[in-house]
DNA sequence: ATGTTC
């Protein structure tokens, strides 16, 4: 397959090359700031590759949509590139329901209420899982959850589908874990099972398979009209606690080694420094928190589905996949240290790093849309190796929260959710004002993003998933 | 994204 270069350009910046995977319109819409940020990021020593996906947009010190790669034996880790929401990512469960089963708006409302009862969405919400030991979750991830929260029907331990971190047991420096202040432990503990705000969501969606990859979709257990549960959430306050705790030591190390870039806020340290190693350790704990938390959210949705639609409702795990992290990976047999910030790993069929159930098809790459718009299930293709098998993380913000509040009226927002129509996307918030900064007008068009990803030869669409009901936090 | 908040 020869990728279409309409969707790729190499930008020759003073500090090094930036690879951008985006069509003309999306590239122009990015503006100049992402290039300035890239030029700062490229000043981190030994960086070997840096790219933007078409949904890239400005974040703190780095862009959301960044893939940044080092050789493992001379690697650097940057808490700024990974960002505060360590382990943020997606999870999808497949139900045995059909979209027609949820045709009734009142039933969708009842279901949303049942989910809200189990998943607190308000600010400062406390989760309903106080019988879980936070330390176990941080150290062992899913393996640290009591058995009752890992039901056989979708337990990743035995079942057919896994994430690439669910089974990883990261090595811990438990002393580093214990140096995180106690009040932050308590805060994280009571947040287990909560959703968080911003673009995070729990959504029920209806599947439409893409004809070109129908066979892969069917092997994953998908069918047209099927209802799936999509979850987008991260490590809640724990990720921020890790970044705050590690920040000062990382900066001290930079001073000691005489390192820095044009951006004083851009923090990074050698992987083999004490500050770098401690950060990586605590980042792993945040990845474990995030995966276990998404698992608990899915457990709560399963319970809500059963209460609303009967005990025969199933929710089997399809996959759980992060888009904010840094991990060692092997590419063409070479050990590399890969940062993905708002970038999704997407391995092609036959790639040896696919978990066993997805070895032949490639694993599902889970891509959220903005509110009221479709999400996508994608799969890697061989030519995705040119971007270290990284694709987009979603639609990508195009307008700040404040600018969106100024621009969009509640009526326009309601219209985009088809409020009052038979096919209304039912939202938990009665007052849409509270989440108007999440309206689709705040985001790029996800369909265009997907077109660029596919056009650049990074991945292919397996299914388009239309929203039926959405639960959002504030 | 998050918590905190002059």
């Amino acid at each position: 397959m020869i990728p279409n270069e309409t969707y790729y350009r190499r930008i020759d910046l003073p500090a090094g090359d930036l690879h951008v995977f985006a069509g003309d319109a999306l590239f122009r819409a990015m503006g100049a700031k992402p290039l300035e940020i890239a030029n700062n990021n490229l000043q981190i020593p030994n960086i070997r590759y840096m790219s933007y996906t078409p949904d890239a947009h400005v974040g703190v010190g780095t862009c959301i949509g960044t893939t940044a790669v080092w050789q493992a034996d001379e690697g650097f880790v940057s808490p700024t590139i990974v960002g505060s929401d360590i382990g943020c990512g997606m999870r999808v469960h497949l139900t045995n329901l059909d979209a027609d089963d949820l045709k009734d708006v009142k039933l969708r409302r009842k279901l949303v209420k049942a989910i809200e009862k189990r998943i607190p969405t308000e600010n400062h919400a406390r989760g309903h899982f106080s019988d879980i030991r936070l330390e176990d979750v941080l150290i062992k991830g899913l393996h640290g959850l009591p058995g009752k929260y890992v039901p056989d029907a979708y337990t990743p331990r035995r079942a057919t589908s896994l994430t690439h971190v669910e089974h990883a047991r990261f090595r811990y420096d438990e002393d580093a874990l214990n140096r995180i202040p106690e009040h932050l432990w308590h805060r994280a503990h009571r947040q287990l099972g909560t959703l968080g705000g911003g673009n995070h969501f729990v959504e029920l969606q209806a599947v439409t398979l893409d004809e070109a990859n129908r066979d892969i979709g069917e092997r994953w257990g998908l069918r047209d009209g099927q209802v799936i549960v999509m979850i987008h959430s991260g490590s809640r306050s724990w990720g921020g606690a890790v970044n705050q705790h590690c920040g000062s030591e990382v900066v001290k190390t930079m001073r000691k080694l005489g390192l820095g870039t044009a951006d004083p806020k851009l923090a990074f340290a050698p992987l083999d420094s004490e500050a770098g190693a401690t950060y990586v350790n605590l980042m792993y704990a945040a990845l474990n928190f995030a995966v276990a938390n998404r698992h608990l959210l899915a457990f709560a949705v399963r319970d809500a589905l059963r209460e609303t639609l009967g005990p025969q409702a199933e929710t089997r795990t399809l996959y759980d996949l992060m888009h904010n992290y840094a991990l060692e990976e092997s590419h063409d047999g070479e050990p590399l240290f890969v940062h993905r910030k708002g970038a999704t790993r997407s391995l092609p069929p036959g790639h040896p790093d696919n978990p066993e159930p997805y070895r032949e098809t490639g694993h599902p790459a889970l891509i959220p849309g903005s509110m009221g718009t479709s999400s996508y299930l994608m799969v890697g293709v061989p030519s995705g190796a040119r971007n270290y098998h990284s694709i987009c993380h979603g639609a990508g913000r195009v307008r700040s929260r404040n600018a969106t509040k100024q621009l969009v009226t509640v009526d326009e927002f309601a219209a985009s959710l088809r409020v009052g129509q038979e096919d209304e996307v039912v939202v938990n918030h009665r007052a849409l004002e509270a989440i108007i900064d999440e309206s689709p007008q705040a985001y790029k068009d996800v369909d265009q993003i997907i077109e660029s990803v596919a056009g650049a030869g990074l991945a292919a669409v397996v299914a388009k998933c239309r929203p039926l009901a959405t639960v959002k936090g504030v």
Side-chain angles (χ1 to χ4, degrees):
Chain A
M1 169 183 189
I2 298 164
N4 183 349
E5 297 302 304
T6 307
Y7 298 104
Y8 166 77
R9 65 211 72 213
R10 183 171 60 85
I11 314 287
D12 182 11
L13 295 169
D17 285 345
L18 172 71
H19 305 266
V20 182
F21 295 90
D24 274 335
L26 285 170
F27 177 67
R28 269 186 269 112
M30 276 180 204
K33 187 77 182 165
L35 303 183
E36 188 189 312
I37 289 174
N39 195 52
N40 296 336
N41 289 192
L42 282 162
Q43 289 166 31
I44 303 175
N46 301 346
I47 187 165
R48 165 164 157 163
Y49 178 85
M50 178 168 171
S51 75
Y52 287 155
T53 45
D55 52 340
H57 61 101
V58 174
V60 182
T62 200
C63 279
I64 294 108
T66 294
T67 302
V69 181
W70 278 260
Q71 216 169 284
D73 61 4
E74 53 171 41
F76 278 72
V77 64
S78 170
T80 307
I81 294 180
V82 175
S84 282
D85 196 7
I86 301 166
C88 180
M90 309 302 300
R91 187 179 189 91
V92 168
H93 285 249
L94 309 185
T95 76
N96 53 351
L97 300 163
D98 194 89
D100 274 354
D101 298 330
L102 299 177
K103 212 165 47 187
D104 181 3
V105 182
K106 286 199 214 92
L107 184 60
R108 295 204 294 282
R109 284 215 181 90
K110 197 172 157 195
L111 187 51
V112 162
K113 280 222 168 76
I115 294 172
E116 255 195 315
K117 198 165 85 189
R118 292 163 176 84
I119 300 179
T121 55
E122 66 276 19
N123 213 347
H124 303 303
R126 277 168 177 270
H128 301 303
F129 296 98
S130 55
D131 56 340
I132 296 172
R133 289 192 63 213
L134 178 61
E135 191 174 1
D136 290 344
V137 167
L138 294 173
I139 293 176
K140 299 185 210 156
L142 280 184
H143 302 273
L145 294 175
K148 66 173 169 171
Y149 297 125
V150 191
D152 280 351
Y154 75 96
T155 172
R157 273 172 232 203
R158 286 184 221 163
T160 53
S161 36
L162 319 160
T163 93
H164 70 291
V165 291
E166 271 174 348
H167 273 227
R169 291 171 187 269
F170 298 120
R171 266 187 317 115
Y172 281 93
D173 169 1
E174 290 186 33
D175 288 343
L177 213 49
N178 289 326
R179 283 196 295 274
I180 302 273
E182 207 179 336
H183 73 280
L184 297 177
W185 274 79
H186 285 303
R187 186 182 291 157
H189 187 234
R190 64 173 184 260
Q191 284 180 333
L192 273 170
T194 63
L195 176 60
N199 58 0
H200 291 173
F201 64 76
V202 169
E203 197 159 85
L204 294 156
Q205 303 169 348
V207 166
T208 304
L209 288 169
D210 190 285
E211 285 310 323
N213 288 308
R214 176 173 287 277
D215 55 330
I216 291 181
E218 285 174 353
R219 286 178 69 178
W220 289 351
L222 297 165
R223 55 183 169 76
D224 283 315
Q226 182 178 26
V227 175
I228 65 169
V229 180
M230 184 176 277
I231 294 170
H232 183 189
S233 187
S235 52
R236 309 292 284 109
S237 66
W238 183 261
V242 166
N243 267 20
Q244 205 172 8
H245 180 75
C246 294
S248 54
E249 287 304 314
V250 167
V251 168
K252 261 190 229 162
T253 300
M254 290 172 72
R255 276 206 203 105
K256 204 166 65 190
L257 299 174
L259 298 171
T261 68
D263 180 358
K265 289 195 296 291
L266 184 58
F268 55 90
L271 281 172
D272 59 10
S273 67
E274 197 179 329
T278 300
Y279 169 74
V280 168
N281 252 287
L282 291 174
M283 175 182 59
Y284 290 163
L287 301 185
N288 278 338
F289 183 104
V291 173
N293 197 52
R294 282 191 292 273
H295 178 96
L296 292 171
L297 296 174
F299 182 84
V301 173
R302 170 182 181 264
D303 208 32
L305 274 168
R306 290 182 169 201
E307 182 190 72
T308 314
L309 294 146
Q312 73 287 355
E314 292 294 346
T315 55
R316 139 171 124 65
T317 311
L318 178 71
Y319 208 47
D320 184 298
L321 186 60
M322 316 170 286
H323 47 233
N324 290 349
Y325 62 98
L327 286 176
E328 192 174 317
E329 293 179 358
S330 170
H331 289 265
D332 282 334
E334 193 181 8
L336 301 175
F337 195 73
V338 179
H339 292 64
R340 292 202 178 86
K341 167 64 171 175
T344 305
R345 191 190 68 161
S346 180
L347 296 177
H351 193 288
D353 290 345
N354 281 303
E356 200 279 323
Y358 298 124
R359 189 67 45 83
E360 288 177 19
T361 58
H363 68 81
L366 319 175
I367 310 298
S370 53
M371 259 191 99
T373 69
S374 289
S375 295
Y376 287 85
L377 305 178
M378 301 189 79
V379 70
V381 295
S383 51
R386 68 200 304 232
N387 194 34
Y388 297 87
H389 299 295
S390 268
I391 65 168
C392 58
H393 74 289
R397 191 164 270 283
V398 74
R399 199 164 268 119
S400 72
R401 297 192 177 281
N402 277 331
T404 308
K405 283 176 195 162
Q406 309 267 320
L407 181 81
V408 182
T409 67
V410 176
D411 284 349
E412 286 167 339
F413 188 21
S416 68
L417 297 168
R418 300 185 290 282
V419 169
Q421 320 241 9
E422 189 68 8
D423 61 347
E424 167 178 349
V425 182
V426 172
V427 177
N428 59 322
H429 293 270
R430 292 173 126 213
L432 287 175
E433 284 96 332
I435 51 170
I436 201 162
D437 49 355
E438 282 297 312
S439 78
Q441 291 92 328
Y443 288 88
K444 296 174 188 170
D445 178 356
V446 71
D447 293 352
Q448 279 181 35
I449 303 289
I450 299 295
E451 179 196 313
S452 276
V453 167
L458 299 182
V461 173
V462 173
K464 186 169 180 172
C465 309
R466 169 176 61 89
L468 303 172
T470 307
V471 175
K472 297 279 282 183
V474 281

